[in-house]
Amino acid sequence: MIETLDAFHFLRPIWLLGLLAIAALWYLARPRKAASDFEAAEIAPHLADALKVGGAGTRRFYPIDGVAAGLTLLALAAAGPSWSRIPNPLVSETAPLIVALQVTESMEATDLAPSRLERARFKILDLINERAGARTALIAYAGSAHRVSPPTEDPNILQPLLQGLNPAVMPVDGDNPAAALALALEIAETTETPGAILFVLDDLNPADIAAFQGSADVQLPPIVMLVTLPDGQVPSQLDRLSDVTVVPLSADDSDIDRIERSLRSAHKAALLADERLKWEDRGWWFLWPAAVLALLWFRRGWTMRWSAVVLLVIGFQVPTTGQAEGWKDWFLTADQQGHLAYQSKEYARAADLFEDPMWRGHAQMRAGQYAEAADTFAGISTADAAFAEGLSRIRNREYRPGARAFEEALKRQPDFPEAERNRDITWAIVEYVETAQEQSDTGEASGIGADEVVFDNESQRGADTQIEAPTEDSAPQTAQQWIDSIDTDMGDFLRSRFVLENSGGTQ
């Protein structure tokens, strides 16, 4: 609430001068109490009161009062009050999150069934599913800290990695949350939007308290600690962390709700501080009470003569071809309705409502309509549109057209580091897939899977091969089925990777 009040301002303050004219109109037009003819000195006061019609009652509210209040609200709406920024549709509407999971012997205690570590995995997965569409990174730490997964929006990537984490895969015994914090800060520097850090642990060494206090030189992002202890217990040393939100593990979703509130608050603060984003005009909020006050004009005895003229003028300004399909069409434009649906995560409905092609494309991409989104962005001649087209195409596994879209974005805006980075990554994917195709004719032996449907051997790398496959009850494998089919223990993979990182001095 304090942040909202601090950010409150008017986008067009010149309209506030209209308040002076409204005040003058109200002062001049409002009737004043006239002296009664019976208040002469010759008539006794009690007789004068008896001769007055209507008794002692006085009228306190006049039509001009309602008109002045309505005009005041309209002036405030025209001034453009704002206290929040319009989020970037290319970035998730939830703050990115970096999860640091403690993977030590103590986390295998069974005082929380089936174990503290297993319960921690469940909570992390529940939180990821609750934050659908938001980016989440994963770190595991014991005596050393290791990056398990970079920021990703896909929970299917994190699930097998989480299942493979146990104390046996950690190369160094111990408990070093300071190393995990340093690695989390390193990852946080690569995110487009400032995010938060979530530590999932059962204890914190008092010697590491200082690392979480921050300093004048180091400004830490918001930090939340989910404590995996039975009966809502919290280690006493965590009370010394004034800038850290401590959340006890709960059997229901109340702990996830608290974490989500902290993340939303962090994301809102980050948006307010981002000067690249436009302020959101909230003037339409004042139109509702103004419309209610306008209803008083139809009350018997309250109609002002000139109000009929105003309504007539407004009637001539309304297009006769427009038809209101529902009450929202009377007050909100199609883009405003689309934005409301977008904020409610009804992306498919928002895509149907938006008239603005850029917003429609982003809604289609969020709804998983990648091909439609790419076509929408292709019709817009801006660098941002070409960049968004590239993202849509690579999510649709159209890597070569996606790389070309990123190149088009760089042609339109040479100083576009995000487009340059995504172009290089996408061309690397194209090279990898086509090399695999060249080595195994079709690429199927390398586990490429569905990519042979996308790549039409444009580069002429790899021979044409005919494959006989059953046509009945056949369906492509899902990502999860493909991962499950790999005859490799994820724990072995993580352990070998962590040992290699630790021997090289990286964490």
Side-chain angles (χ1 to χ4, degrees):
M1 180 62 69
I2 295 177
E3 294 176 350
T4 300
L5 293 176
D6 291 340
F8 183 85
H9 66 289
F10 289 97
L11 301 177
R12 299 172 293 275
I14 190 67
W15 282 93
L16 296 178
L17 294 177
L19 297 176
L20 299 177
I22 296 170
L25 173 66
W26 174 82
Y27 180 79
L28 295 174
R30 195 175 196 276
R32 290 169 178 75
K33 183 179 179 181
S36 175
D37 295 337
F38 297 107
E39 293 180 357
E42 292 80 3
I43 301 178
H46 65 284
L47 296 177
D49 292 337
L51 294 174
K52 291 179 181 178
V53 177
T58 59
R59 191 174 186 179
R60 297 182 178 180
F61 191 74
Y62 292 89
I64 188 60
D65 297 333
V67 173
L71 292 177
T72 299
L73 292 171
L74 292 177
L76 293 174
S82 178
W83 53 87
S84 61
R85 294 185 183 271
I86 301 176
N88 184 351
L90 285 175
V91 181
S92 171
E93 293 194 10
T94 306
L97 180 65
I98 303 168
V99 179
L101 174 62
Q102 180 184 354
V103 188
T104 60
E105 296 290 342
S106 65
M107 288 289 287
E108 292 197 315
T110 57
D111 50 0
L112 276 175
S115 70
R116 296 178 183 178
L117 184 58
E118 195 66 23
R119 289 288 291 276
R121 291 193 189 104
F122 293 151
K123 283 296 179 182
I124 292 173
L125 289 175
D126 288 344
L127 180 62
I128 293 172
N129 291 325
E130 183 71 20
R131 304 174 68 252
R135 298 175 66 82
T136 305
L138 180 61
I139 294 172
Y141 76 93
S144 58
H146 302 272
R147 188 195 315 246
V148 180
S149 171
T152 177
E153 298 178 4
D154 190 353
N156 293 326
I157 294 176
L158 296 177
Q159 183 174 358
L161 295 172
L162 274 170
Q163 295 298 330
L165 289 175
N166 59 76
V169 308
M170 305 305 294
V172 181
D173 294 333
D175 183 12
N176 192 355
L181 178 60
L183 181 56
L185 293 175
E186 180 182 330
I187 296 175
E189 291 179 355
T190 65
T191 59
E192 299 176 357
T193 303
I197 302 173
L198 172 66
F199 274 82
V200 184
L201 42 72
D202 62 358
D203 198 7
L204 183 67
N205 192 328
D208 294 311
I209 294 291
F212 293 87
Q213 298 288 9
S215 64
D217 299 330
V218 180
Q219 185 69 29
L220 297 177
I223 298 177
V224 182
M225 290 190 176
L226 178 62
V227 182
T228 57
L229 290 177
D231 303 324
Q233 300 176 43
V234 175
S236 58
Q237 60 266 28
L238 296 185
D239 295 335
R240 296 161 53 186
L241 297 174
S242 57
D243 296 331
V244 174
T245 302
V246 179
V247 180
L249 187 77
S250 65
D252 55 14
D253 291 338
S254 59
D255 48 0
I256 294 179
D257 293 338
R258 286 190 58 186
I259 295 172
E260 268 290 275
R261 286 196 297 269
S262 298
L263 296 179
R264 284 195 294 267
S265 177
H267 185 56
K268 184 176 181 179
L271 288 179
L272 291 177
D274 193 344
E275 297 294 338
R276 298 171 300 175
L277 301 178
K278 296 180 179 180
W279 288 98
E280 186 172 6
D281 191 342
R282 301 279 188 168
W284 61 273
W285 281 34
F286 292 89
L287 298 180
W288 293 99
V292 173
L293 288 173
L295 295 177
L296 293 176
W297 289 3
F298 298 95
R299 182 180 175 186
R300 181 179 177 84
W302 285 75
T303 305
M304 304 184 70
R305 294 185 180 90
W306 51 270
S307 66
V309 179
V310 173
L311 292 176
L312 186 61
V313 172
I314 294 176
F316 280 116
Q317 299 298 322
V318 176
T320 57
T321 57
Q323 294 183 358
E325 299 178 359
W327 63 271
K328 288 186 179 180
D329 294 330
W330 301 348
F331 303 100
L332 300 176
T333 65
D335 286 336
Q336 289 172 333
Q337 295 178 48
H339 189 65
L340 291 176
Y342 190 94
Q343 288 180 324
S344 300
K345 297 184 179 180
E346 300 176 19
Y347 301 120
R349 180 169 170 268
D352 294 335
L353 289 171
F354 275 125
E355 292 181 351
D356 184 284
M358 198 70 179
W359 273 103
R360 188 191 316 123
H362 289 308
Q364 290 170 334
M365 187 162 59
R366 290 283 186 184
Q369 303 170 5
Y370 302 126
E372 295 82 352
D375 293 339
T376 300
F377 290 128
I380 308 173
S381 58
T382 65
D384 288 337
F387 179 77
E389 179 191 352
L391 293 179
S392 301
R393 294 200 182 279
I394 62 175
R395 291 186 181 184
N396 202 38
R397 293 177 178 263
E398 301 176 59
Y399 299 110
R400 185 179 289 275
R404 290 170 178 160
F406 292 131
E407 288 182 343
E408 181 63 27
L410 288 170
K411 289 180 182 179
R412 298 174 182 178
Q413 181 181 325
D415 184 18
F416 203 153
E418 293 85 359
E420 183 177 1
R421 182 170 64 251
N422 279 276
R423 178 203 60 186
D424 295 341
I425 293 174
T426 307
W427 279 126
I429 294 174
V430 171
E431 177 65 22
Y432 170 77
V433 173
E434 293 185 347
T435 300
Q437 287 178 326
E438 184 177 31
Q439 293 174 350
S440 60
D441 289 346
T442 63
E444 289 190 350
S446 299
I448 301 304
D451 279 337
E452 73 274 11
V453 176
V454 176
F455 289 92
D456 55 358
N457 205 18
E458 180 180 342
S459 60
Q460 300 301 318
R461 297 173 62 177
D464 294 333
T465 304
Q466 293 183 353
I467 300 175
E468 294 184 2
T471 58
E472 295 182 359
D473 299 329
S474 60
Q477 283 187 320
T478 65
Q480 186 61 46
Q481 290 172 336
W482 183 78
I483 290 175
D484 292 340
S485 68
I486 300 176
D487 188 19
T488 303
D489 187 351
M490 185 61 72
D492 294 339
F493 165 73
L494 292 175
R495 177 171 176 77
S496 62
R497 203 184 89 186
F498 293 167
V499 169
L500 181 62
E501 290 177 356
N502 196 61
S503 62
T506 59
Q507 294 184 335

